[in-house]
Every structure is written in structure tokens, then in C-alpha cells.
Amino acid sequence: VTGSGERTAESYNGESQNAALLVVEYTTELPVYQCADGIDNDGDGAIDMADQGCISSSDSSEYGNNECDDGIDNDGDGLTDVADLGCINLAGLDETNCGDGICGAGESWQSCSLDCAVPQCSDGIDNDADGLVDFPNDSGCLSEVDDDEADFLGNTLRVPTDYSTIQAAINAAQDGDMVLVYPGTYPGDLIVSKRITIASNFINTENQQDITNTIISGGNDGFFVQTPIGEPMKIIGFTITGTVDGIDFEGGSSIVKNNIFEYNTDDAIDLDGSSESIIENNIIRNNGDDGLEIRLHNYNGPTLNIIVRNNTISGNGEDGIQLIDYPGISDRVFYFYNNIIKDNVYVGLGLMDNGDTTEDYRAASIPEPIYLYNNHFIGNSYGITGGDNLKAMNNMVIGTPNIAFKNVDGNSQISYSLFWNNSVDNSGSNLDTLNNVNENPLLDINLRLQSGSPAINAGVSIIEVESDFDGTLRPQGAAYDIGAFEYSESISP
């Protein structure tokens, strides 16, 4: 910008006098912002403030909040944005470079087997030479992430046949053994420090009655667990009720599956310390505080993977799932998918910080990676609050009295969502407004999609989510469906 200004001498000495004008020539270079330069910088057909990537006219990039355009080394390989081999251009959503030999944040064996080892129960190989391959075909596989296909070879300690109490059997067990519990009601406050399997007879019968009739009741914790990281201990097929916390994990690896948690006065499941877990196929309902409470205590080391999938989490007195942050960034990654998170009093997924658990909807800026895929959020007071590195895709958020997504910002991305009957869909979150649905999802009484639902074929493919809540393969149509269930003419009414 070029111009001139003039003043009389009076302007400088305060006296009135005749004087020549003082003429000042000046030149000022103003910055040119992509969101105000009249150019389609990212090639998407939209220019300046008409581009969804522009937050304001002083935004320096039309690309939006992408990992390849944020100035951050998201995958920890020492390279940033387009200098990273994982970025083709500034529009790249994910800096992760599959093939660099590093199993970084955002990578998994599903998305990059070149960098992340494929577990035996998903590698397509008959590792134990029994003629059976992978989960669920090989009986030695408890899940697709189980890294040991070999059939269970430990001892079986039966309760009450061999031992009168579960704790006596746990005390006698060695790593690799199974404590098999027959129907009955047993006291809580069970202490576990070994890599063992504790299961009801459901593990043999797959009869739901073995879950409802094998009950852990009372005590401060149903189970108190602290084991080393590595081969997981397993808790399978119980009803856990009437405790303070159903299971309190203070460290180690675990699998928690096919259980019912109800009417515990505090949380159904606590994950504290250096704990990682696969929590799947559970019913977690009507507990006094949170369904799951996960504290991000200080931890640095091999990445802790917390996988929560195919659960029904409903009617809990505070949050369905609560993450509680502490100072610093820990080596953890979270996956939440195919869950029904419904009618929890406070938040479906609530993020807190500074070690605080009393929910106040602060929407904490937790930096650890959180992947939120194909979930139903229904009737929670708030849907999802907080997160600075949260990727949400194919989620359905409906019937929220307050805010569906609150302050899911920073490096977070929300896309391919269905919103319906919420008071507010979005407040302060990084929402891609081009690929969402704002229509009645047409759910039946079992929350499945009905014919004609706008959620059908409205999602995006996600390699980690190969099947739905019921085990139906995705996709059944031209694309993934939004929400926990995939519509199929052969299985849907």
C-alpha cells in the first residue's frame, strides 16, 4: 500500500505559523492470506471464505486442519508436513508414512502391516499347525489381536469343584492357567497379579445364561488387577454387580469380554497406571458414576492400546466413557468403535484434565490420539466433549439435549457423521460440513437401520472396522453405513 501524509509545523511545535507542508511518502507490505487472495489454492472449487478450510479471512491456508498442513510432527518421525514422506501435499489428512519401519501413532497392523507386526490370530497362517487359522476359527484365539494361536495348554482350576473360592484358585494358578467358574454368586475383592484367564462356563457353552448366573457381587472392587504389560490376562463371561468399581486395573494388559456390569456404585471399569485393554462385547449399564473411567497417568514406553468395541454402555450416572488427563503426553492410543453409548446422564465420551473426575463439561484438550468410528451416541446429555487429536468418522449422534460435539478442536477431525434431534450439533469443533447427514436415521426399536435410512452407504471405509456390532461384514452396500450397525437386506426387517 503506497500513500502520503502531510502535517503543518504546528503539528510538531504547538505554535500557529505559516510553514511548508511536510510530505511523507510511505510503503507498507500487508500479508496476503490464502483465505482472502481470490485464488482456489487447494483446488477444491471453492475460494476464500467459501472454502470449508477457511476459518477467517486471515487464515493462511485454504486446506483446513490437516496433519500435512499443521506444522506438527504428528507421527514422530522427525519430519513435518510435506517434508514427511507420508504427505503427498498439504491436503493430506495423515502424516503417517507406512513403510518407514516405525509403528507410529495412527498406524496399526490393520492399516500398515509393513511397520506394525500382524498378530498370529490375524496373519492368515496356521501358526500352531492344528488345521485352523486365525480368529474366530482357531480355538486358541480369543480375539483377532491375540498373538498366540496355540490352543490353551495350561491347567484348568475349577470353582467350586477343585477350589471352594475364586481367590483360592487364583492363588494356586500359574501364568497361562485358566480359572473356570461355574454358576453361583461369589464375593468380590479378588486380587489378580498373574497372566491367567478367569472365565465362567460361557467360554465353553456360549450360553448367555452362564453369564447371568455366574455373579461377582460386593466388595470395593470386583477384581483388582495389576500384571505386567504383554500377554493379557482375561476376564470373560461374568455378571459383576454391587461393588464399588467392577474391575480396577492398575497396570498390565487385559481382555475384558462378554460380561455384564450393572449397579456398581462407582465405575464399571477403571483403567489406571500403565494399563492397556481390549474391552469388547460387554453390557455396561446403570452404574453409579462412569461406565469406563480411564486415567492417562504418566507413561512412556511401548504404546498402550486401549480398544473399546461392540459394547452397550447405557444409563450410567455420569459419563458413558470418561478420559482423565494428567500433565504431559503419554504413549497411549485409543480406539472406540461399534459401541452403543446411550442415555448416560452426563456425556457419552467426556474428556477431563488435571486428574479431575467430576464432570463439568470442560472438554479437555487431550493430545493423545483418539479414534472414534461407527458408534451410536443416543440421548446422552452431551455427546462428545474435548480432544485435540480426535478423529471421528461414521458416528451417529442423536437426541442430545445439549451439544453433540463440543470443543473437539486442535488437530481433531469430524466427518461422515449423522446428526438428528440435537439441541446443538457442534460448538467449537473441527467439523467437516460437506460429508454429514442431518436427517432422521430411521432406527428400529433395536437401534438397527431400516430400509431407506439416510445412514445407509453414507460413511467412509475404515480398515480397523471390518464388521459391525453384530459381526456383519462391512460394507454390505456401495459404502460403509454410519453408526454401529450395517444394513443388510438379508438380516434387516
Side-chain angles (χ1 to χ4, degrees):
V1 177
T2 302
S4 63
E6 55 184 50
R7 292 175 181 251
T8 65
E10 179 182 17
S11 303
Y12 293 95
N13 58 26
E15 297 179 2
S16 177
Q17 55 185 306
N18 294 323
L21 292 175
L22 176 65
V23 179
V24 179
E25 298 288 338
Y26 57 88
T27 300
T28 302
E29 294 293 334
L30 296 178
V32 178
Y33 300 106
Q34 285 193 5
C35 290
D37 63 0
I39 300 170
D40 180 13
N41 295 278
D42 56 359
D44 65 356
I47 296 175
D48 296 346
M49 288 304 294
D51 194 302
Q52 296 294 327
C54 291
I55 298 172
S56 71
S57 59
S58 60
D59 193 338
S60 61
S61 172
E62 267 186 9
Y63 287 93
N65 193 26
N66 305 322
E67 284 194 1
C68 293
D69 187 28
D70 62 3
I72 298 171
D73 178 15
N74 295 279
D75 58 357
D77 64 358
L79 301 172
T80 302
D81 295 349
V82 291
D84 195 299
L85 296 177
C87 292
I88 298 173
N89 55 43
L90 288 172
L93 298 176
D94 190 350
E95 224 177 57
T96 302
N97 176 29
C98 183
D100 64 3
I102 301 171
C103 187
E107 284 185 312
S108 67
W109 60 269
Q110 294 106 319
S111 62
C112 184
S113 60
L114 292 173
D115 295 344
C116 304
V118 180
Q120 286 191 7
C121 290
S122 292
D123 64 2
I125 300 170
D126 182 10
N127 295 279
D128 57 356
D130 64 354
L132 302 171
V133 178
D134 292 352
F135 176 84
N137 302 309
D138 195 305
S139 60
C141 294
L142 288 176
S143 73
E144 65 266 28
V145 298
D146 192 341
D147 198 33
D148 186 0
E149 202 174 65
D151 289 336
F152 172 73
L153 298 177
N155 295 313
T156 299
L157 294 77
R158 296 171 177 83
V159 180
T161 307
D162 302 326
Y163 296 86
S164 60
T165 68
I166 298 174
Q167 188 65 63
I170 291 171
N171 294 344
Q174 303 297 317
D175 283 354
D177 287 349
M178 177 186 291
V179 174
L180 180 62
V181 183
Y182 289 99
T185 299
Y186 302 87
D189 284 330
L190 300 168
I191 299 174
V192 185
S193 59
K194 303 168 184 177
R195 294 167 172 172
I196 60 177
T197 296
I198 307 172
S200 75
N201 204 37
F202 174 84
I203 200 169
N204 296 317
T205 67
E206 296 189 357
N207 186 333
Q208 185 73 20
Q209 291 299 313
D210 282 314
I211 298 175
T212 58
N213 293 331
T214 311
I215 302 167
I216 308 298
S217 180
N220 192 56
D221 301 310
F223 293 89
F224 178 91
V225 182
Q226 188 164 21
T227 63
I229 295 292
E231 188 67 21
M233 70 84 54
K234 307 173 184 75
I235 298 174
I236 302 171
F238 294 94
T239 293
I240 302 174
T241 186
T243 71
V244 178
D245 292 324
I247 304 178
D248 181 3
F249 289 105
E250 291 295 325
S253 305
S254 63
I255 295 174
V256 180
K257 62 186 299 185
N258 298 115
N259 301 284
I260 298 172
F261 297 85
E262 61 184 359
Y263 304 115
N264 301 288
T265 59
D266 194 26
D267 308 318
I269 302 174
D270 279 351
L271 289 180
D272 299 330
S274 55
S275 296
E276 65 176 356
S277 190
I278 298 172
I279 299 170
E280 60 183 349
N281 302 325
N282 300 283
I283 297 172
I284 301 170
R285 63 190 178 198
N286 302 327
N287 298 283
D289 199 86
D290 302 320
L292 306 181
E293 182 184 282
I294 306 171
R295 292 182 180 267
L296 284 69
H297 289 121
N298 182 50
Y299 169 80
N300 296 107
T303 300
L304 299 176
N305 292 280
I306 294 93
I307 301 171
V308 180
R309 62 190 177 195
N310 298 9
N311 302 282
T312 299
I313 304 172
S314 65
N316 297 289
E318 288 203 10
D319 295 348
I321 303 170
Q322 185 179 85
L323 307 185
I324 304 172
D325 202 16
Y326 289 78
I329 301 177
S330 65
D331 292 324
R332 290 178 174 85
V333 60
F334 297 88
Y335 297 89
F336 302 102
Y337 59 88
N338 284 345
N339 298 289
I340 300 169
I341 303 172
K342 181 177 183 291
D343 296 332
N344 297 286
V345 173
Y346 290 169
V347 188
L349 173 61
L351 276 59
M352 300 289 289
D353 55 15
N354 297 321
D356 294 337
T357 184
T358 303
E359 181 60 72
D360 57 7
Y361 316 110
R362 69 184 63 176
S365 297
I366 292 180
E368 282 82 357
I370 301 170
Y371 298 93
L372 190 67
Y373 300 146
N374 282 98
N375 298 284
H376 275 21
F377 287 87
I378 302 175
N380 307 287
S381 293
Y382 286 74
I384 299 92
T385 57
D388 271 9
N389 195 8
L390 187 153
K391 290 181 173 60
M393 292 187 288
N394 297 354
N395 296 288
M396 179 181 299
V397 190
I398 62 178
T400 310
N402 292 290
I403 302 170
F405 280 97
K406 178 184 177 183
N407 293 354
V408 182
D409 50 20
N411 293 316
S412 297
Q413 299 166 357
I414 305 166
S415 58
Y416 296 94
S417 304
L418 185 148
F419 299 98
W420 178 249
N421 198 30
N422 304 304
S423 178
V424 177
D425 290 338
N426 172 37
S427 176
S429 301
N430 296 339
L431 178 65
D432 170 13
T433 59
L434 296 179
N435 296 299
N436 298 304
V437 176
N438 295 87
E439 297 181 51
N440 187 332
L442 300 180
L443 303 181
D444 67 17
I445 60 172
N446 296 312
L447 307 181
R448 274 68 173 174
L449 303 177
Q450 300 184 80
S451 178
S453 168
I456 297 171
N457 297 331
V460 64
S461 296
I462 299 170
I463 193 168
E464 290 88 352
V465 190
E466 296 179 342
S467 59
D468 74 351
F469 184 96
D470 291 328
T472 302
L473 291 177
R474 296 182 187 268
Q476 288 290 306
Y480 275 41
D481 298 344
I482 291 176
F485 300 100
E486 192 78 4
Y487 178 81
S488 171
E489 292 285 355
S490 62
I491 62 174
S492 300

